[in-house]
Amino acid sequence: QVQLVESGGGLVQTGGSLKLSCTASGSIFSFDIMGWYRQAPGKERELVAASRSWGSRYYADSVKGRFTVFRDNDKNTLSLNMSSLQPEDTAIYYCAAASSGTIQAPIPRIWGQGTQVTVSS
């Protein structure tokens, strides 16, 4: 089974930028949708951004214009470029692979272990 490993999290000041990367141990081509989720303390996990295999993308309203998701099927990676970060972006960010669902509501089959993003005010 393909495993997903996230990297790139850390501590950043308000207004700063970070790039998260998700590297798969095998091919991600067969996964219709790859996405980034996040879970803040005391809150439910939410979909932040997603990318279909052929390129269409989805962004949550809260991150539109600030986050960019990029999927590379050749390198089996999914990245998330985050800019203009705010304290409310603080969360554990998870990479996920889905073979069903819609781009707004994928049904992940595989999850990464998560990477912490902390935005200080």
Side-chain angles (χ1 to χ4, degrees):
Q1 172 163 303
V2 172
Q3 294 183 327
L4 304 175
V5 178
E6 302 95 335
S7 61
L11 175 64
V12 65
Q13 291 185 334
T14 296
S17 300
L18 276 177
K19 179 181 178 179
L20 305 183
S21 296
C22 173
T23 301
S25 61
S27 175
I28 64 171
F29 182 78
S30 63
F31 294 105
D32 183 26
I33 303 166
M34 296 287 297
W36 286 99
Y37 291 75
R38 68 185 181 188
Q39 187 167 20
K43 295 188 177 182
E44 293 188 355
R45 192 173 297 188
E46 62 173 347
L47 179 65
V48 173
S51 174
R52 279 197 185 276
S53 187
W54 60 84
S56 64
R57 300 172 183 173
Y58 162 85
Y59 296 97
D61 288 342
S62 59
V63 306
K64 279 181 183 176
R66 301 189 298 123
F67 290 11
T68 303
V69 64
F70 179 73
R71 174 175 179 160
D72 191 329
N73 287 335
D74 291 331
K75 295 182 179 179
N76 298 314
T77 59
L78 183 75
S79 63
L80 185 68
N81 288 310
M82 306 184 294
S83 63
S84 301
L85 284 163
Q86 302 298 314
E88 51 266 35
D89 295 316
T90 295
I92 299 175
Y93 284 70
Y94 298 89
C95 175
S99 299
S100 59
T102 66
I103 196 166
Q104 298 91 344
I107 302 174
R109 190 157 60 89
I110 301 174
W111 292 91
Q113 83 289 350
T115 185
Q116 177 71 47
V117 171
T118 302
V119 184
S120 63
S121 57

